[in-house]
Amino acid sequence: MCGICGSVNWEGPDVDAVRAMSSAMVHRGPNAAGLASRKPAVLAHRRLSIIDLSDDANQPMADKSGRYSITFNGEIYNYRVIRAQLESLGVRFRTQSDTEVLLYAHITWGAECLQSLNGMFAFAIWDDLDKRLFLARDRLGEKPLYYSRLPGNGIVFASELKALRLHPAVSRRINPRAVSQFLSLNYVLGDECIIDGVQKLPPAHYLIVEAGKTHAPQCYWSLAKYFREKRSFGSEDEATDELNSLIKDAVDIRLVSDVPLGAFLSGGLDSSTIVAAMNRLRPPRQNLTFSIGFPEDSFSELPKARFVAEYLGVQHQDQIVDGNMASALKQVIRCADEPFADTSLIPTFFLSRFAAQHVTVCLTGDGGDELFGGYETYIADRIHGAFHRLPSPIIDGLSLLTNVLVPSRFDKVSWDYKLKKFLSGARLDQDRAHYHWRTIFSEVEKSELVRAERQAEVLEVDPCFSFLTHAREVSGAHFLDRAMYTDIKTWLVDDILHKVDRASMANSLEARAPFLDHRLVEFAASLPVHFKIRGLQKKYLLKKSQQSFLPAHIIDAKKQGFNAPVSHWLKGALEETAMRVTHEGPLLDWLNPDSITKLWHDHKSGRQDNGLKLFGILCLGLWLED
């Protein structure tokens, strides 16, 4: 796990700019740094040593001939298998690293090597003979890669936006379309970037840069076809056995490490499944687990995590984080790179910091909800199908009565919040309703919040269109499959994986997600919907698969999530900072102060829980101040 950056500038190599970009990512790779100038290309690397700790495995790494050079961020979990294949073809290696295997895989097979890789990665390979740059990103988007075009068909790229912005040719202009997405969702989607002119290489794509040619990103893997081509099984037990085999193997290949390795453990089904699989592969006392909690009972997962840890017999450690972290909030928000207000960033950041005191690698349960249907929004999708047929006046009346008669609570995703959110979107069609469940500000609310002079550019495009584009990629599929596919393409990559990468790497910790093994993802996508969501029961097959490994009350427990109690903190430890940031400074170049004041009034009076809205505005303000 590392940080990469570089450029191809046909007008002359950007050595100083790339060196500055690399220095800005020391947190991603504190163990070693390297830079290689191959006019007109410059590649740089920050190394967090995981596999083959020797200096020979440092990067950028060149092949024996010196023609090819690579800078690589991530892990290739099946590198030993690929190495053996290459050795049978006559390739001889000088290191034990997966980097060298990846380099020679590309030299041998070109872009086709991507089909063989099981891992998380973003990498660049420069061909000094053909003057050609090859950039690629993993199938699910676990590892980030930003880039911007340079004059004369050149390019500059980096693992993080904060590094890319140090290049003098990169724009400083804020992208209003990204601001619109952020206000809607509390994060920015992959088809936009908060900096105008900067792009993100999409997951499962590669990009080739050559003199005089500007190539479009090319897709090398399609998840949509697995959603469309459903498998049949002789029995549920057959499907369960195959799922358990895939989980065990996905965990097994992610245990390979030359440094200490542990796991995040929340006590929920996903992380518990991963730790239980670790126990089947090595002695339980060898497995270190970590969790984080809050003083607020409805937000803390520590009791469940401790129970699971004791049940599984692993070595467990945990820590409590409270709201007295206002001084650290700007650092947490800055690590996210773009404006980002998923409240779980806070515990993920501090969990990563805590775990990094003991290990360098942690396995996570990320992806289980998207693959197997674990979110409450999928239940809302299912109920919506019947509710949508009610006459509009009845739906409007229920919504009005609920807003008037049902008081707001400040618990984590409280039932009143879910009820109000559902009713407000009940009249929408199926795909738009699914988008609505995830929104923070509606388009109407955004038109009141955004300053009049900014509305034309900010409200020009409805972010829902990005969701609808993905839904159309699996048109004809069951509406729940469309919802899960869309979540994988948006929420998973642009929120969950963005958060985990930035929070873990800010603390020099590598996070590995076994559920995102592409074989497991393909299997889950090809499952009939009733194997994932049966009636109102979520994660049906995953729960069934764990009956021999976990206690029933953990398998059947209600999903708790990993959010922070920001609604409470905004009336306590965060209030002073939040009031300042949301009432002055660059934020008010974009937003209407009267609308912000009203949000605060309704929140403090208890009339409305505006915690997510105010936290989003606060995070945007902090990012703009940076």
Side-chain angles (χ1 to χ4, degrees):
M1 187 70 68
C2 309
I4 66 172
C5 60
S7 72
V8 175
N9 190 340
W10 306 106
E11 298 176 355
D14 297 318
V15 174
D16 290 340
V18 172
R19 182 176 287 112
M21 291 160 58
S22 176
S23 296
M25 296 188 293
V26 62
H27 51 279
R28 295 189 75 95
N31 300 134
L35 183 143
S37 180
R38 301 283 188 268
K39 187 177 181 179
V42 181
L43 304 181
H45 189 264
R46 301 293 323 196
R47 186 181 183 198
L48 179 63
S49 302
I50 305 291
I51 302 292
D52 186 347
L53 308 185
S54 71
D55 290 346
D56 289 339
N58 288 344
Q59 301 179 47
M61 180 185 290
D63 75 316
K64 295 181 183 69
S65 72
R67 173 178 174 177
Y68 299 95
S69 300
I70 184 173
T71 183
F72 159 51
N73 169 30
E75 299 289 348
I76 307 301
Y77 302 119
N78 64 334
Y79 76 98
R80 290 172 174 167
V81 173
I82 299 173
R83 179 186 177 116
Q85 294 172 344
L86 291 168
E87 286 177 332
S88 71
L89 297 175
V91 177
R92 294 295 175 259
F93 294 90
R94 61 183 177 84
T95 76
Q96 298 300 313
S97 71
D98 56 343
T99 303
E100 191 178 14
V101 172
L102 176 57
L103 175 59
Y104 279 97
H106 180 265
I107 292 171
T108 304
W109 298 309
E112 283 300 308
C113 76
L114 298 169
Q115 304 298 331
S116 304
L117 304 181
N118 187 333
M120 54 179 182
F121 54 82
F123 66 87
I125 294 179
W126 173 251
D127 180 341
D128 202 41
L129 179 61
D130 291 341
K131 304 301 180 186
R132 186 172 182 258
L133 183 73
F134 183 88
L135 296 169
R137 191 176 179 199
D138 64 68
R139 291 174 177 86
L140 277 302
E142 292 184 74
K143 294 294 99 189
L145 191 59
Y146 292 89
Y147 69 95
S148 182
R149 297 289 182 179
L150 297 177
N153 291 317
I155 195 171
V156 56
F157 64 90
S159 296
E160 293 186 355
L161 180 61
K162 66 177 68 69
L164 192 76
R165 293 172 70 189
L166 294 177
H167 193 285
V170 173
S171 169
R172 300 295 183 268
R173 182 176 182 269
I174 304 297
N175 178 2
R177 297 181 303 280
V179 173
S180 179
Q181 290 182 347
F182 176 79
L183 292 175
S184 293
L185 301 163
N186 270 359
Y187 65 95
V188 177
L189 293 169
D191 57 5
E192 297 289 351
C193 178
I194 193 64
I195 299 298
D196 204 25
V198 173
Q199 295 173 272
K200 304 162 190 173
L201 186 63
H205 280 69
Y206 66 86
L207 175 66
I208 294 173
V209 179
E210 298 176 285
K213 296 181 181 179
T214 302
H215 295 277
Q218 298 295 308
C219 182
Y220 65 85
W221 178 75
S222 171
L223 179 59
K225 76 171 187 177
Y226 295 96
F227 275 92
R228 290 192 296 263
E229 299 171 3
K230 293 298 181 181
R231 292 181 54 186
S232 60
F233 296 88
S235 66
E236 286 184 3
D237 287 341
E238 180 186 334
T240 298
D241 290 344
E242 184 172 345
L243 174 56
N244 273 326
S245 177
L246 285 167
I247 290 173
K248 183 178 178 182
D249 192 60
V251 170
D252 189 20
I253 62 175
R254 283 163 179 78
L255 293 178
V256 176
S257 173
D258 292 332
V259 293
L261 178 149
F264 293 162
L265 178 62
S266 68
L269 176 62
D270 297 339
S271 63
S272 299
T273 295
I274 299 305
V275 175
M278 292 172 69
N279 274 5
R280 300 199 295 278
L281 293 161
R282 60 187 197 176
R285 296 302 294 173
Q286 189 177 339
N287 292 323
L288 311 177
T289 60
F290 308 91
S291 60
I292 208 97
F294 302 98
E296 294 82 1
D297 289 341
S298 73
F299 287 81
S300 186
E301 299 179 328
L302 292 186
K304 283 201 306 178
R306 290 166 180 167
F307 174 83
V308 172
E310 183 175 356
Y311 179 87
L312 294 176
V314 297
Q315 294 192 57
H316 182 70
Q317 299 182 67
D318 55 47
Q319 191 177 64
I320 291 178
V321 176
D322 61 25
N324 296 318
M325 39 68 72
S327 60
L329 182 60
K330 186 155 188 171
Q331 178 189 2
V332 174
I333 298 307
R334 188 175 189 275
C335 89
D337 238 5
E338 296 186 76
F340 190 85
D342 181 338
T343 66
S344 64
L345 173 65
I346 299 171
T348 304
F349 179 89
F350 285 102
L351 174 59
S352 298
R353 174 172 290 182
F354 176 50
Q357 297 171 15
H358 308 275
V359 297
T360 309
V361 179
C362 265
L363 271 57
T364 80
D366 295 308
D369 287 315
E370 292 81 6
L371 299 189
F372 297 100
Y375 291 122
E376 293 290 335
T377 52
Y378 303 136
I379 303 304
D381 290 329
R382 171 146 277 175
I383 296 172
H384 173 272
F387 206 87
H388 183 65
R389 291 192 287 269
L390 290 175
S392 295
I394 293 179
I395 295 175
D396 292 341
L398 287 171
S399 183
L400 179 62
L401 283 173
T402 301
N403 286 329
V404 172
L405 299 178
V406 178
S408 293
R409 303 171 63 192
F410 285 50
D411 292 339
K412 184 192 314 189
V413 196
S414 59
W415 71 268
D416 58 282
Y417 175 86
K418 289 185 283 190
L419 177 61
K420 293 173 182 177
K421 194 71 175 177
F422 176 80
L423 289 171
S424 66
R427 293 174 58 185
L428 301 172
D429 65 54
Q430 196 79 57
D431 294 325
R432 286 182 179 272
H434 181 74
Y435 164 77
H436 176 77
W437 312 145
R438 293 206 176 277
T439 56
I440 305 300
F441 286 101
S442 69
E443 292 303 295
V444 172
E445 291 170 328
K446 282 162 60 178
S447 68
E448 297 171 353
L449 179 64
V450 176
R451 295 183 69 94
E453 61 271 28
R454 293 281 194 179
Q455 288 189 9
E457 56 180 358
V458 172
L459 304 180
E460 177 185 11
V461 177
D462 184 350
C464 182
F465 293 151
S466 297
F467 282 67
L468 297 179
T469 297
H470 292 303
R472 284 194 294 270
E473 292 168 4
V474 286
S475 60
H478 191 284
F479 66 85
L480 288 173
D481 268 335
R482 294 201 307 272
M484 282 181 268
Y485 176 82
T486 300
D487 281 349
I488 290 170
K489 291 291 187 175
T490 56
W491 170 258
L492 177 65
V493 62
D494 299 323
D495 184 297
I496 302 299
L497 298 181
H498 182 109
K499 168 195 69 182
V500 172
D501 175 81
R502 302 312 191 278
S504 60
M505 292 310 298
N507 293 286
S508 304
L509 179 77
E510 174 170 296
R512 300 177 176 179
F515 278 120
L516 298 184
D517 187 300
H518 70 276
R519 299 165 302 168
L520 218 169
V521 173
E522 292 166 358
F523 170 84
S526 67
L527 287 173
V529 164
H530 68 271
F531 273 13
K532 292 181 273 192
I533 301 174
R534 180 161 298 188
L536 299 183
Q537 183 182 5
K538 298 168 292 182
K539 292 185 176 176
Y540 175 79
L541 192 69
L542 182 60
K543 289 178 178 179
K544 182 178 175 64
S545 75
Q546 297 307 300
Q547 289 174 355
S548 299
F549 310 119
L550 296 170
H553 78 274
I554 292 298
I555 293 173
D556 298 326
K558 182 179 178 182
K559 179 176 175 58
Q560 191 165 354
F562 200 37
N563 299 346
V566 294
S567 292
H568 294 279
W569 291 355
L570 287 166
K571 297 200 297 184
L574 281 180
E575 183 176 358
E576 182 179 350
T577 297
M579 289 292 286
R580 177 193 65 78
V581 172
T582 59
H583 284 92
E584 61 184 53
L587 181 70
L588 299 188
D589 291 339
W590 292 89
L591 304 184
N592 181 355
D594 292 337
S595 296
I596 297 174
T597 298
K598 185 177 186 305
L599 288 169
W600 273 109
H601 177 269
D602 290 347
H603 185 74
K604 287 178 153 184
S605 67
R607 182 174 180 271
Q608 191 75 34
D609 181 358
N610 288 326
L612 295 179
K613 293 179 177 179
L614 288 168
F615 186 69
I617 293 172
L618 167 62
C619 292
L620 178 60
L622 287 171
W623 188 90
L624 290 169
E625 285 183 353
D626 191 13

